[in-house]
Amino acid sequence: SSELIQDPAVSVALGQTVRITCQGDSLRSYYVSWYQQKPGQAPLLVIYGKNNRPSGIPDRFSGSSSGNTGSLTISGAQAEDEADYYCNSRDSSGVIFGGGTKLTVL
Amino acid sequence: QLQLQESGPGLVRPSETLSLTCTVSGDSISASSFYWAWIRQPPGGGLEWIGSIYYSGRSDYSPSLKSRVTISVDTFTNQFSLTLNNVTAADTAVYYCARREWSGLYNWFDPWGQGTQVTVSS
């Protein structure tokens, strides 16, 4: 099966914009979804489909895709955005997740 | 509001069978077009999809776990279950259940249960 590659760690200054990326061949065919996970908590869906946010997710979260890369952008990062972020998509065998990106808000 | 809750033993002996149940509340498992999924996360690690099931019983599994996994559904109790055979220490993880929506182009999981820790040890 294919895989999704994420940078292990990314940092952003408080109030600045950060982009978290996810690369994989499956993203040429399927949309990516994004999850936020804070310590000791279950993952929380933040972006799905083309660029949709579930109810309750702030509009500073947005998603985009180009070629084999999907991106999650946080515009004006807040302290509470510090978390692990995982991407996810389908592939020919079922479902795959990226390895996760640890976001630090400085 | 849809909620999912995992339950089952927290400790399983090596070579034995892991069995977990996910109880769905706030909606009927059979009243919608969603699938119902199991996902796990080893200590300090990332997320791994195990498999999913439709209320009709149609299921799909991760190729790496397919030989050891069975997911079943009980529409009367509004539950779905996971069994994983012949476990080893590598199966130690937090196990999550979640609702899965997928189509030709899309796949996402929402909401998730709170997760249950399963440790494989003698």
Side-chain angles (χ1 to χ4, degrees):
Chain A
S1 63
S2 51
E3 58 179 349
L4 297 175
I5 305 298
Q6 297 183 242
D7 292 327
V10 170
S11 61
V12 61
L14 184 68
Q16 296 303 300
T17 295
V18 62
R19 177 176 293 179
I20 298 170
T21 61
C22 175
Q23 286 188 299
D25 287 341
S26 67
L27 300 186
R28 297 185 185 278
S29 304
Y30 303 109
Y31 286 104
V32 64
S33 58
W34 291 94
Y35 305 83
Q36 176 193 70
Q37 187 179 34
K38 297 180 178 179
Q41 297 184 16
L44 175 70
L45 179 70
V46 294
I47 292 291
Y48 67 97
K50 258 187 179 177
N51 178 20
N52 300 299
R53 284 176 289 105
S55 174
I57 301 301
D59 61 5
R60 63 178 179 271
F61 288 87
S62 63
S64 62
S65 277
S66 178
N68 73 335
T69 301
S71 300
L72 173 69
T73 299
I74 307 174
S75 304
Q78 302 300 302
E80 61 264 32
D81 299 334
E82 185 162 291
D84 294 329
Y85 290 86
Y86 293 91
C87 61
N88 157 243
S89 82
R90 288 191 59 188
D91 76 348
S92 58
S93 301
V95 174
I96 49 175
F97 285 94
T101 297
K102 182 176 183 60
L103 176 66
T104 300
V105 180
L106 303 172
Chain B
Q1 181 183 359
L2 181 70
Q3 292 186 313
L4 292 83
Q5 177 69 59
E6 306 88 351
S7 59
L11 179 65
V12 183
R13 307 294 185 195
S15 80
E16 295 189 347
T17 297
L18 179 161
S19 297
L20 298 174
T21 296
C22 182
T23 300
V24 178
S25 60
D27 195 8
S28 170
I29 272 185
S30 56
S32 57
S33 61
F34 298 103
Y35 276 64
W36 304 92
W38 288 97
I39 298 151
R40 70 181 183 179
Q41 185 171 34
L47 301 169
E48 179 182 23
W49 174 68
I50 299 171
S52 62
I53 194 164
Y54 193 56
Y55 77 91
S56 64
R58 176 183 176 186
S59 59
D60 61 339
Y61 300 114
S62 164
S64 65
L65 295 170
K66 188 173 184 177
S67 64
R68 298 194 292 132
V69 171
T70 302
I71 297 176
S72 59
V73 63
D74 186 336
T75 57
F76 295 103
T77 60
N78 224 37
Q79 297 175 326
F80 63 105
S81 299
L82 168 71
T83 59
L84 180 64
N85 299 324
N86 193 25
V87 298
T88 69
D91 295 310
T92 294
V94 175
Y95 285 74
Y96 295 100
C97 59
R99 185 178 69 178
R100 177 189 181 194
E101 180 156 11
W102 66 297
S103 70
L105 296 178
Y106 302 91
N107 180 92
W108 64 83
F109 300 97
D110 180 60
W112 297 57
Q114 67 183 27
T116 188
Q117 172 70 48
V118 177
T119 301
V120 179
S121 175
S122 56

